[in-house]
Amino acid sequence: HYLAQHGTPLIPDDLSKHICVNLMGLENWVFKTEQGLKTIKTSNRLRTDNGEAVRDAAVSGMGITLTSVWCAYQQLQRGELVQILQDHPLVNDTAIWAVYPSSRQIAPKVRTFIDHFAKYFGEAPYWEDGII
């Protein structure tokens, strides 16, 4: 709904004309461009520390957001959200970590969980099935 009213940004600089919905601390979006890295400071209508709230606000038409595919894959599949600026990849260093106490012996249930976690969120995660 937001894009129908305000248009779709075609390049990262176009974001300066748009309202965004952001996670706290992610107001600056960094893109890889032909000229190098480009940082865009977005203007916020809403800032929150909850990824689902950001996603839902974007679905309701409050603005453009930067969110993870795993959080929004169902809304993308249903067409409630659309990806924009696909020719301008974002720079990020996000990862999912399994943190556990180090010791010489890892409990079998911890090892089983880590193996399951790595497989579930590994090379072909469930949320990428047919949307990217």
Side-chain angles (χ1 to χ4, degrees), residues 14-114:
D14 290 347
L15 289 170
S16 66
K17 304 172 199 158
H18 289 273
I19 301 296
C20 296
V21 177
N22 286 315
L23 282 169
M24 289 208 244
L26 292 178
E27 294 85 9
N28 294 314
W29 301 358
V30 182
F31 294 88
K32 292 179 191 173
T33 69
E34 293 177 5
Q35 296 77 32
L37 298 182
K38 176 78 173 182
T39 301
I40 305 295
K41 179 162 178 45
T42 59
S43 69
N44 298 298
R45 176 171 282 169
L46 172 70
R47 273 184 347 145
T48 180
D49 64 353
N50 184 295
E52 292 173 347
V54 165
R55 177 203 61 210
D56 294 346
V59 168
S60 72
M62 287 185 71
I64 295 173
T65 194
L66 172 64
T67 189
S68 16
V69 174
W70 66 264
C71 183
Y73 76 96
Q74 292 174 327
Q75 290 74 16
L76 288 164
Q77 287 174 338
R78 291 191 298 256
E80 297 170 350
L81 292 175
V82 295
Q83 291 180 322
I84 60 171
L85 300 173
Q86 292 182 36
D87 295 334
H88 304 278
L90 286 161
V91 175
N92 73 57
D93 57 359
T94 58
I96 298 175
W97 295 86
V99 179
Y100 53 92
S102 64
S103 67
R104 301 189 91 192
Q105 300 275 331
I106 297 174
K109 64 184 174 184
V110 172
R111 178 82 262 160
T112 299
F113 171 76
I114 292 169

